[in-house]
């Protein structure tokens, strides 16, 4: 992938989780594994190939199950939004997301994918090579979230007067600075008409206990051969609590737990006292604009 090592890892992480989940029968993403292999992040290829990782509970591999459970939850969330009549879907920091190819969408649905141009170009080319066919109108919005992404979204046809459903997976967990995270949520709010919906995972804050858990998490991946400093990709700091931040801006929010997401797909919750301890497990929310 024509991107930095860190960018390749973050883009491939979700695809690796979906590939492992597909092999376990937890969801269906036939494109996830080929995309991980094409991205060339050899560690994640080994995660998929090596049965040892599938049952390991040392933090990193277990976190793949959590990401997969959230991915399936989001699939269902999108299906419900489509049944309610929403026809605009925006995936923030889309990475190697394949929902525009693997889900059934109501006629007239447009899926907007926002990410860096090189990531979206890589994915488009790889999926063409796989013979993947779109199941919705897809519009790639090649712009960094540091830039004026709302303007870029409008330029490709997004209608801010019509409701939309927004997805932020593995984004509000420290990958953005606190200030940029606030700006992204403000942009989402400004572009959301009444009836819009939002789903995301998020880290509540970065306490000393969470920083210690993060170090254990990173060490677990490093022991298994991932030669990228995952800690350098996050921005510890004073983040606003996302549910409260959105509620103060007119959203009705619902908080959800990782135990609930895992239980819905028949998986046990995080084990207490290890690197998968709840201190380093994101929280989850859905929100709606009345």
């Amino acid at each position: 992938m024509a991107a930095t090592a860190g960018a390749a890892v973050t883009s491939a992480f979700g695809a690796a989780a979906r590939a492992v989940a597909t092999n376990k029968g937890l969801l269906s993403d036939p494109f996830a594994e080929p995309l991980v292999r094409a991205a060339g992040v050899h560690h994640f290829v080994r995660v998929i190939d090596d049965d040892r990782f599938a049952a390991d509970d040392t933090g990193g591999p277990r976190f793949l199950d959590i990401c997969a459970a959230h991915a399936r939850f989001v699939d269902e969330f999108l299906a419900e939004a489509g049944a309610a009549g929403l026809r605009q879907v925006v995936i923030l920091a889309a990475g190697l997301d394949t929902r525009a190819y693997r889900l059934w969408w109501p006629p007239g649905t447009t899926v907007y994918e926002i990410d860096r141009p090189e990531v979206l170009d890589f994915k488009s080319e790889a999926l063409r090579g796989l013979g993947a066919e779109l199941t919705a109108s897809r519009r790639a919005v090649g712009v960094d979230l540091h830039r004026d992404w709302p303007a870029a979204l409008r330029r490709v046809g997004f209608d801010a007067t019509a409701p939309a459903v927004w997805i932020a997976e593995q984004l509000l967990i420290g990958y953005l600075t606190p200030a940029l995270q606030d700006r992204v949520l403000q942009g989402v709010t400004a572009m959301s008409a009444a009836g819009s919906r939002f789903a995301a995972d998020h880290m509540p804050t970065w306490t000393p206990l969470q920083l210690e858990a993060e170090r254990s998490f990173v060490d677990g991946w490093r022991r298994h051969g991932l030669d990228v400093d995952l800690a350098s990709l996050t921005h510890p700091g004073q983040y606003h609590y996302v549910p409260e931040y959105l509620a103060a801006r007119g959203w009705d929010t619902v908080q959800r737990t990782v135990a609930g997401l895992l239980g819905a797909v028949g998986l046990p919750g995080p084990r207490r006292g290890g690197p998968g301890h709840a201190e380093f497990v994101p929280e989850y929310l859905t929100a709606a604009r009345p």
Side-chain angles (χ1 to χ4, degrees), residues 1 35-43 45 122:
M1 184 186 300
L35 283 175
V36 172
R37 296 185 184 279
V41 183
H42 300 298
H43 175 75
V45 172
F122 163 80

Side-chain angles (χ1 to χ4, degrees), residues 8-24 27 29 31-37 39 41 43-49 60-61 63-65 67-68 96-97 170 221:
V9 167
T10 56
S11 295
F13 196 100
R18 295 193 304 276
V20 170
T22 296
N23 291 338
K24 292 180 177 181
L27 56 76
D29 187 348
F31 309 115
E33 182 173 336
L35 283 175
V36 172
R37 296 185 184 279
V41 183
H43 175 75
F44 288 138
V45 172
R46 187 160 67 94
V47 167
I48 296 169
D49 287 342
F63 200 68
L64 290 176
D65 280 347
C67 293
L96 301 184
D97 187 289
Q170 299 165 42
W221 279 107

Side-chain angles (χ1 to χ4, degrees), residues 1-13 39 41 91-96 113-124 138-147 149 152 169-171 175-176 180 233 235:
M1 184 186 300
T4 65
V9 167
T10 56
S11 295
F13 196 100
V41 183
I91 303 177
L92 300 166
L96 301 184
E113 297 182 355
I114 300 178
D115 211 320
R116 297 176 302 279
E118 65 270 19
V119 173
L120 296 177
D121 289 347
F122 163 80
K123 180 171 67 175
S124 296
R138 172 182 177 259
R139 297 189 184 174
V141 188
V143 60
D144 193 287
L145 290 173
H146 290 82
R147 307 293 183 183
W149 60 266
E169 281 183 293
Q170 299 165 42
L171 177 64
Y175 286 142
L176 306 177
L180 180 56
L233 303 178
H235 302 274

Side-chain angles (χ1 to χ4, degrees), residues 52-77:
R52 174 171 59 86
F53 284 90
D56 199 349
D57 194 20
T58 55
R62 182 68 175 119
F63 200 68
L64 290 176
D65 280 347
I66 296 173
C67 293
H70 188 244
R72 182 163 141 176
F73 172 81
V74 170
D75 289 353
E76 295 168 355
F77 179 79

